[in-house]
Amino acid sequence: MNSRMSKLRRSISRSVFQLNSSLSRQNSLNGLVDLPTMANTTLVDKFATPTNFRQLRDLIRNNNELLAEVVAAFEEKAALDFHYSKTLKKISIRLHKLTQSVESGIDKGWTNVAEQFDIHATIHSNLGSALTEDIIQPLRSIHTSQQKTIRAADNFVEREIRKLNDKKDETQKMKRSLYVLSKELEKTENAAEREKMAPEKYALRRKKYKEQMVRSEDDYVWQTVDLEKQRRMTENVLRKGVESMESVERQRLAHCQTALGRYKRKIENLGPNLRQMFERHSNNLELAVDSVPEDYIQTIQPSTSAVNHITLIDLHAENFGEVMSSTRRRQNLERVSGVLDTELKRMYNNQTADVMVSNSKQISVLEFMEYLYYKINDAINIVDGGQNRGFHRLARFQHKIKDKSGLAMTILTIPLSGENNSLPPPSLSLEASTAYPSPHGSNDYDEYEKISDDGFYSTTTTATSSSNGQRTTTSFNEPTDPNGPTICRVLYDFEPKHADEIQIREGQCVLVEDRIGDDWLIGHVISQPDNSAIDPRSGRFPTTYVSY
């Protein structure tokens, strides 16, 4: 009786767990929708990444501190005007007393001097009052308000970034667990094949591992979908944070412009006796008053192009460096492909909101699921010999690296504002080390396929002698002799930002003398496309801006 009750309880527990898992996955997909496009903004598409947002936040914060210093300077100026006016009043009173009973016309001239002192005292008193009422108080108020806005936006964005990092860590833990379980199943399968005389010895263990691996693979797939959902939520928060920072900067510029205009008008109204003194300053202030804030907003640029790093699934069966039976490898890949195919059919049939593309600056949920399906099927084609490999438009944004635990990791690096060669792309090794640093050296990346964006790297096809046929790999174009001088042609214009950098223009030829890591070269210009004068100075410039 007790045995039957125990079996019944275990059966009910398994049913409840499966029902909860199904509901959780359905809720996860329902929340995976595209984000709306924010209109009438200038900086959102440039700074809506964690690194660029922090750069913009520091810029806005420094400008706000500049406003505080301006307020402090005007407070000191107003205090000096009040003190100067008070002192002139005292001197004027003394002169009036001394000249009350004078008879000589020459001595009466000092009365005129006293009256001039009265005029100067009144002017400086009025100037001090105007500075306090028209400049100091409004700017102090907007500075305090903007400090609170900057702090609130920063806290909001950093909290979402921490959530995204935690979700990435959870996904990595689940992937490591799946890899360990896959290896254990492979060991059991190999042991069962060696001992053919007693197959029942491993039957129970094999069944247990297979059931666990199916559940783990399903959980890992949906955890990756949840990670994409959190990334989209974080991107939405980043866009709102950048929009808040841009609004703060526009308000600051507008208030500063108004304050400068008031100060200019006050100076112009001081009287003809002081107009000549302040004419030079008024001309300079005229330029600031007539300037357009939008021109300054347009000049704010990040140091690197803004991109989205989208994490994809990486199954144990996809890693052809791992020893695994081709039959079981194909079965695992086909099962996951079937899961993704079923979900894609559901999305096509229902025509739900998460299928629609809300804007062209990011991939849709449908494209994300389609690329996962394409990636798994591409691995199946490699197992079959790689004769009918397909193509997907997102493949050129794919990068394969290693995470901090040494496992294969595939990401998509999607530009936020389209392809822009005016800014250098972010360093892949730098971004990867920020999110998932590898415990090994950079040489561990060489064995993985790297598919790069057009314009910065070149692609070569090599035949690999293996049972899987040919594989396509992408490599960097390196000079034949990295230690000797090499002549390169400049592909893009580069403006130096530091003293040790040089300016290069498209079409020039440069002589490479040395290199700094994988990102910078050292050399000088040796020819101009228009045969103009050449700057003989040597300096560093980006590797991706030239071609060997």
Side-chain angles (χ1 to χ4, degrees):
M1 182 66 178
N2 293 334
S3 176
R4 288 197 296 272
M5 291 298 295
S6 298
K7 291 181 179 179
L8 180 60
R9 284 195 296 270
R10 287 195 296 270
S11 177
I12 293 175
S13 299
R14 285 194 296 268
S15 300
V16 171
F17 175 78
Q18 293 173 358
L19 178 61
N20 292 335
S21 299
S22 177
L23 291 176
S24 175
R25 292 167 183 171
Q26 187 64 34
N27 293 335
S28 175
L29 282 175
N30 290 337
L32 193 58
V33 297
D34 288 312
L35 303 176
T37 304
M38 296 183 182
N40 301 324
T41 59
T42 303
L43 302 180
V44 168
D45 291 331
K46 299 178 183 178
F47 291 89
T49 62
T51 302
N52 292 348
F53 172 81
R54 294 188 180 102
Q55 179 183 349
L56 178 63
R57 177 203 61 194
D58 294 339
L59 174 63
I60 303 301
R61 186 176 292 168
N62 291 337
N63 290 343
N64 195 252
E65 292 302 321
L66 171 64
L67 181 61
E69 293 296 329
V70 170
V71 171
F74 273 94
E75 286 178 340
E76 186 175 354
K77 175 65 168 60
L80 289 174
D81 285 330
F82 286 130
H83 184 268
Y84 185 66
S85 174
K86 185 177 180 180
T87 303
L88 281 179
K89 279 288 186 182
K90 290 181 179 180
I91 296 174
S92 174
I93 291 172
R94 287 174 57 187
L95 285 176
H96 278 298
K97 288 182 178 180
L98 291 174
T99 58
Q100 279 181 354
S101 58
V102 295
E103 298 292 338
S104 171
I106 295 176
D107 293 332
K108 289 182 179 180
W110 296 115
T111 302
N112 297 329
V113 173
E115 292 175 353
Q116 186 68 30
F117 284 172
D118 286 335
I119 295 175
H120 277 265
T122 303
I123 289 175
H124 283 279
S125 177
N126 293 339
L127 181 58
S129 300
L131 292 179
T132 303
E133 296 173 1
D134 297 339
I135 296 180
I136 296 175
Q137 292 179 356
L139 291 185
R140 184 192 293 120
S141 176
I142 191 64
H143 169 259
T144 304
S145 174
Q146 289 188 345
Q147 266 190 328
K148 295 179 181 179
T149 304
I150 294 172
R151 189 181 303 112
D154 184 31
N155 293 337
F156 189 39
V157 170
E158 290 296 335
R159 183 167 60 250
E160 284 300 317
I161 291 176
R162 286 194 297 270
K163 289 182 181 179
L164 178 61
N165 292 334
D166 293 340
K167 183 67 70 174
K168 287 181 179 180
D169 292 337
E170 292 176 6
T171 305
Q172 292 304 309
K173 290 179 182 178
M174 190 172 294
K175 182 171 73 173
R176 289 195 298 270
S177 176
L178 179 60
Y179 267 59
V180 172
L181 187 60
S182 299
K183 289 185 177 181
E184 290 296 328
L185 176 60
E186 188 65 18
K187 290 180 182 179
T188 304
E189 295 284 356
N190 293 335
E193 291 176 358
R194 287 195 300 269
E195 296 187 21
K196 297 182 179 179
M197 300 302 297
E200 65 279 2
K201 179 179 178 182
Y202 297 93
L204 183 59
R205 188 187 303 176
R206 291 167 61 186
K207 181 179 178 182
K208 176 183 176 182
Y209 280 146
K210 286 182 178 179
E211 292 176 352
Q212 291 179 355
M213 190 177 70
V214 169
R215 288 196 301 269
S216 299
E217 285 180 345
D218 290 343
D219 293 339
Y220 174 56
V221 170
W222 297 115
Q223 179 69 16
T224 305
V225 175
D226 289 340
L227 175 61
E228 173 62 12
K229 173 185 174 182
Q230 181 61 43
R231 186 197 66 79
R232 289 170 177 273
M233 293 175 59
T234 304
E235 182 185 352
N236 192 20
V237 171
L238 281 168
R239 296 172 76 88
K240 290 183 180 296
V242 173
E243 190 177 30
S244 298
M245 293 295 179
E246 183 177 350
S247 176
V248 166
E249 186 63 7
R250 289 180 183 274
Q251 291 179 6
R252 186 191 70 83
L253 292 173
H255 281 78
C256 288
Q257 193 174 28
T258 302
L260 288 171
R262 291 173 178 174
Y263 185 63
K264 171 181 173 293
R265 289 191 296 271
K266 191 62 181 179
I267 290 176
E268 291 176 347
N269 295 331
L270 285 178
N273 295 332
L274 297 178
R275 175 173 294 276
Q276 186 177 3
M277 182 187 305
F278 293 106
E279 184 177 359
R280 177 169 55 89
H281 303 286
S282 178
N283 292 335
N284 294 333
L285 290 174
E286 188 73 32
L287 298 176
V289 172
D290 294 338
S291 63
V292 180
E294 186 66 24
D295 294 341
Y296 170 73
I297 295 294
Q298 292 287 351
T299 61
I300 301 178
Q301 294 286 346
S303 57
T304 61
S305 57
V307 296
N308 267 332
H309 292 294
I310 301 175
T311 305
L312 305 178
I313 60 174
D314 290 286
L315 300 177
H316 180 264
E318 285 185 276
N319 190 351
F320 292 93
E322 299 287 346
V323 178
M324 188 176 184
S325 170
S326 60
T327 302
R328 286 189 291 274
R329 188 189 299 275
R330 182 181 178 83
Q331 290 175 351
N332 291 346
L333 294 174
E334 287 181 342
R335 197 196 67 79
V336 176
S337 176
V339 172
L340 296 173
D341 184 48
T342 302
E343 179 57 27
L344 283 172
K345 290 179 180 178
R346 184 194 69 81
M347 296 170 71
Y348 279 120
N349 292 334
N350 295 340
Q351 289 295 311
T352 53
D354 58 356
V355 178
M356 304 304 174
V357 181
S358 61
N359 63 74
S360 60
K361 303 295 176 61
Q362 60 178 358
I363 66 172
S364 65
V365 179
L366 178 61
E367 283 185 303
F368 175 72
M369 299 297 291
E370 284 180 341
Y371 192 76
L372 294 181
Y373 181 70
Y374 159 78
K375 183 173 178 289
I376 297 299
N377 285 342
D378 190 57
I380 296 175
N381 287 331
I382 294 177
V383 173
D384 294 338
Q387 299 299 321
N388 299 310
R389 299 185 66 179
F391 172 78
H392 196 280
R393 76 173 189 88
L394 298 178
R396 64 196 181 106
F397 298 114
Q398 176 178 300
H399 299 278
K400 286 191 176 182
I401 56 177
K402 286 186 178 181
D403 59 16
K404 58 185 178 182
S405 61
L407 300 179
M409 176 180 176
T410 307
I411 62 174
L412 291 178
T413 305
I414 308 295
L416 277 181
S417 55
E419 309 230 354
N420 184 6
N421 290 332
S422 64
L423 293 175
S427 173
L428 179 61
S429 60
L430 177 60
E431 292 291 329
S433 64
T434 302
Y436 306 105
S438 173
H440 309 291
S442 59
N443 294 332
D444 293 336
Y445 293 82
D446 296 339
E447 61 183 288
Y448 292 94
E449 179 183 6
K450 298 181 180 179
I451 305 179
S452 313
D453 197 1
D454 294 343
F456 297 104
Y457 309 100
S458 63
T459 304
T460 58
T461 302
T462 58
T464 305
S465 59
S466 64
S467 60
N468 297 329
Q470 289 189 347
R471 295 186 63 184
T472 302
T473 60
T474 301
S475 60
F476 297 95
N477 260 337
E478 297 288 350
T480 56
D481 184 9
N483 298 323
T486 305
I487 297 177
C488 302
R489 181 169 295 278
V490 179
L491 300 176
Y492 315 105
D493 295 345
F494 173 71
E495 293 293 338
K497 298 181 180 179
H498 303 282
D500 59 340
E501 299 173 355
I502 62 172
Q503 181 188 64
I504 56 176
R505 288 285 181 262
E506 179 182 358
Q508 291 180 340
C509 290
V510 294
L511 181 65
V512 178
E513 303 167 354
D514 200 353
R515 66 186 304 132
I516 305 175
D518 294 332
D519 299 329
W520 295 91
L521 299 174
I522 298 177
H524 62 275
V525 179
I526 60 174
S527 69
Q528 298 275 16
D530 55 356
N531 296 324
S532 58
I534 299 175
D535 186 358
R537 292 185 302 110
S538 295
R540 62 187 178 101
F541 49 88
T543 305
T544 55
Y545 279 57
V546 299
S547 175
Y548 291 99

